[in-house]
Amino acid sequence: MTRDELYEIFEEIKSEYPFFEVGEENFERHWRYLQDFPFVDAMSNVVQHIKTTPRRPPGIGDIRGHLGDMLDSQRSKEQTAAYFAQLEEWERNSSPPPPGWLDGIRAKLRGDMKAE
């Protein structure tokens, strides 16, 4: 994110929350924590915050949108998709046991060693 983009975010926040402090100190504090964050995601999070939280302006954590949680969620979805793909592959490659296999197992369980 650039400083101009952060200023655009401040304008969006200020338009909805007139008491939001837009001074240099607050700007620099936000810049320190948001300069590495994508502008599009930040603006989207600000808009979502405005829609759902009308009483208080978004903080830095709200603007970042809990990125760690989003990344964990995305990683979990990818792992789940990979797991289901593996299950489908196993299902395609599976075959039933050879004839008589189940009878042999039952005989061994009963203690009938002749089944070997």
Side-chain angles (χ1 to χ4, degrees):
M1 174 182 318
T2 67
R3 287 179 168 274
D4 289 339
E5 290 169 336
L6 181 57
Y7 185 73
E8 197 175 320
I9 287 174
F10 267 44
E11 286 178 336
E12 184 70 24
I13 295 170
K14 183 72 172 172
S15 70
E16 185 64 28
Y17 305 98
F19 299 109
F20 180 71
E21 174 63 44
V22 293
E24 186 65 28
E25 184 178 324
N26 196 32
F27 185 89
E28 289 302 321
R29 187 170 62 81
H30 278 74
W31 173 248
R32 181 175 45 223
Y33 295 111
L34 296 172
Q35 61 185 333
D36 65 333
F37 196 73
F39 168 73
V40 173
D41 294 336
M43 184 60 86
S44 174
N45 292 338
V46 166
V47 169
Q48 183 63 32
H49 183 86
I50 289 171
K51 290 178 180 178
T52 59
T53 313
R55 289 187 169 50
R56 66 170 180 83
I60 293 170
D62 297 318
I63 296 171
R64 288 187 74 93
H66 310 287
L67 180 62
D69 292 341
M70 290 188 301
L71 292 175
D72 286 343
S73 175
Q74 182 63 32
R75 192 171 23 253
S76 177
K77 289 176 185 177
E78 290 169 359
Q79 290 173 345
T80 301
Y83 176 73
F84 279 111
Q86 181 67 50
L87 287 177
E88 289 172 7
E89 181 181 342
W90 287 340
E91 187 175 356
R92 282 192 307 272
N93 296 331
S94 67
S95 61
W101 178 82
L102 184 57
D103 293 331
I105 294 296
R106 287 181 180 150
K108 288 178 184 177
L109 289 172
R110 284 191 306 262
D112 184 7
M113 300 311 280
K114 294 184 227 172
E116 291 182 35

